[in-house]
């Protein structure tokens, strides 16, 4: 009986059906009341007592595999049928309504548009950053609190050389550092993006938030330019009455 079971197991692993009719024929052949598996189960009473455990386990395995294979083939046919029913190649094209923008995306795009009209371009950088661009290039001291585990998410920590640490950026200043590495003045950029702080999550705060920084490097740039840029941005963003 074990040899017969092994033979059927091999047959079932290779079962294929071109259509639903062939699949039904396979089900009848193996799983019906007069099928091959039920015939073996009916003959189980003739198995010697010392072999019943082994043969019983093999019979259960055979039946389970047959049911799984038949179900898998049936699911394949149903999926193909549904796909054919949903696709009508004779149908004319029609406009697809897009979903709405997330509020954060709306606000970010408004900020980008305002600074774009002021001559700023967008700069982007990785959210998983090295210590050099997040802290060292920004002149953070090695004992600065922001470099502590309780303030920053560390991906890789190096106790011997903090400059080799890999962290989730705590500000988009790292984008400024990268821009200054590869660009020559004049530089006029904004750096919008997600930043991360190791803080308790509550209804008021989260472990990540969105930030926009700006960098302007050129000759004859003063705090007057900074004040006017901020004032114009505030009025464009919040209305002309903003002081």
């Amino acid at each position: 009986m074990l040899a017969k079971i092994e033979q059927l197991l091999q047959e079932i692993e290779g079962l294929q059906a071109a259509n639903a009719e062939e699949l039904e024929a396979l089900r009848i052949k193996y799983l019906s009341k007069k099928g091959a598996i039920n015939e073996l189960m009916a003959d189980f009473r003739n198995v010697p007592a010392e072999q019943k455990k082994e043969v019983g386990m093999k019979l259960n395995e055979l039946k389970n595999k047959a049911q799984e294979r038949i179900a898998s083939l049936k699911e394949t046919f149903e999926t193909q049928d549904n796909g054919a029913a949903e696709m009508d190649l004779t149908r004319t094209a029609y406009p697809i309504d897009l979903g709405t923008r997330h509020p954060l995306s709306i606000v970010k795009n408004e900020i980008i548009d305002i600074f774009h009209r002021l001559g700023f371009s967008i700069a982007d950088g990785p959210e998983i950053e090295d210590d050099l661009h997040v802290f060292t290039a920004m002149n953070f001291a090695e004992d600065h609190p922001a470099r502590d585990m309780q303030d920053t998410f560390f991906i890789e920590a190096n106790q011997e050389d903090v400059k080799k640490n890999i962290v989730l950026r705590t500000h988009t200043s790292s984008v400024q550092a990268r821009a200054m590495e590869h660009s020559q003045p004049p530089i006029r950029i904004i750096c919008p993006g997600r930043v991360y702080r190791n803080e308790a999550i509550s209804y008021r705060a989260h472990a990540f938030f969105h930030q926009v920084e700006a960098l302007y490097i050129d000759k004859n740039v003063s705090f007057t330019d900074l004040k006017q840029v901020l004032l114009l941005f505030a009025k464009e963003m919040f209305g002309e009455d903003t002081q």
Side-chain angles (χ1 to χ4, degrees):
M1 181 176 285
L2 286 173
K4 181 63 175 177
I5 292 173
E6 288 295 339
Q7 179 185 342
L8 290 175
L9 278 171
Q10 292 179 10
E11 289 181 14
I12 287 167
E13 288 178 359
L15 286 183
Q16 296 293 338
N19 50 54
E21 289 75 17
E22 290 186 11
L23 180 61
E24 178 61 14
L26 291 174
R27 187 195 68 79
I28 294 172
K29 178 181 178 180
Y30 293 101
L31 295 173
S32 67
K33 290 183 178 180
K34 296 183 179 180
I37 295 176
N38 270 351
E39 286 182 2
L40 288 176
M41 289 187 168
D43 197 35
F44 181 70
R45 62 179 179 272
N46 299 321
V47 174
E50 64 274 11
Q51 294 183 7
K52 282 189 180 293
K53 181 178 180 181
E54 181 182 4
V55 173
M57 292 175 63
K58 278 291 185 180
L59 274 174
N60 286 332
E61 179 186 355
L62 175 62
K63 184 175 181 181
N64 290 337
K65 285 199 172 183
Q67 291 173 336
E68 290 172 3
R69 185 61 182 163
I70 297 295
S72 176
L73 291 171
K74 182 180 180 182
E75 184 178 352
T76 301
F77 287 131
E78 290 175 349
T79 303
Q80 291 174 347
D81 291 343
N82 289 340
E86 291 173 3
M87 183 179 294
D88 182 0
L89 299 179
T90 65
R91 221 158 97 179
T92 57
Y94 62 93
I96 298 175
D97 294 331
L98 296 178
T100 57
R101 294 281 184 182
H102 191 281
L104 288 174
S105 297
I106 294 173
V107 173
K108 184 181 77 170
N109 290 337
E110 288 180 0
I111 294 172
I112 289 173
D113 180 64
I114 294 169
F115 277 94
H116 179 73
R117 285 187 273 116
L118 292 172
F120 287 79
S121 58
I122 302 172
D124 194 15
E127 295 180 13
I128 300 177
E129 256 296 9
D130 55 40
D131 179 282
L132 172 64
H133 294 93
V134 176
F135 297 127
T136 303
M138 297 293 109
N139 290 324
F140 279 68
E142 291 193 5
D143 60 349
H144 193 282
R147 280 184 153 127
D148 293 340
M149 291 287 186
Q150 64 264 28
D151 285 348
T152 301
F153 290 108
F154 281 76
I155 307 299
E156 294 180 12
N158 190 305
Q159 301 297 330
E160 297 179 358
D161 186 356
V162 295
K163 295 178 183 178
K164 295 182 179 179
N165 289 337
I166 304 297
V167 302
L168 294 181
R169 66 184 183 188
T170 60
H171 45 210
T172 56
S173 302
S174 58
V175 182
Q176 297 184 40
R178 288 186 176 274
M180 287 185 283
E181 278 182 338
H182 302 102
S183 304
Q184 293 295 323
I187 298 174
R188 190 185 295 187
I189 61 172
I190 60 169
C191 315
R194 290 176 295 195
V195 297
Y196 303 83
R197 305 282 174 85
N198 191 5
E199 297 178 357
I201 298 175
S202 69
Y203 72 96
R204 297 180 57 189
H206 203 280
F208 80 87
F209 56 94
H210 293 74
Q211 186 180 64
V212 180
E213 296 186 15
L215 177 66
Y216 186 11
I217 302 176
D218 201 353
K219 295 178 180 179
N220 302 317
V221 177
S222 67
F223 276 99
T224 301
D225 298 281
L226 173 63
K227 180 179 178 180
Q228 286 304 116
V229 166
L230 292 176
L231 180 61
L232 178 60
F233 166 75
K235 287 188 175 183
E236 288 284 320
M237 193 73 188
F238 304 110
E240 282 294 331
D241 295 334
T242 305
Q243 300 295 322

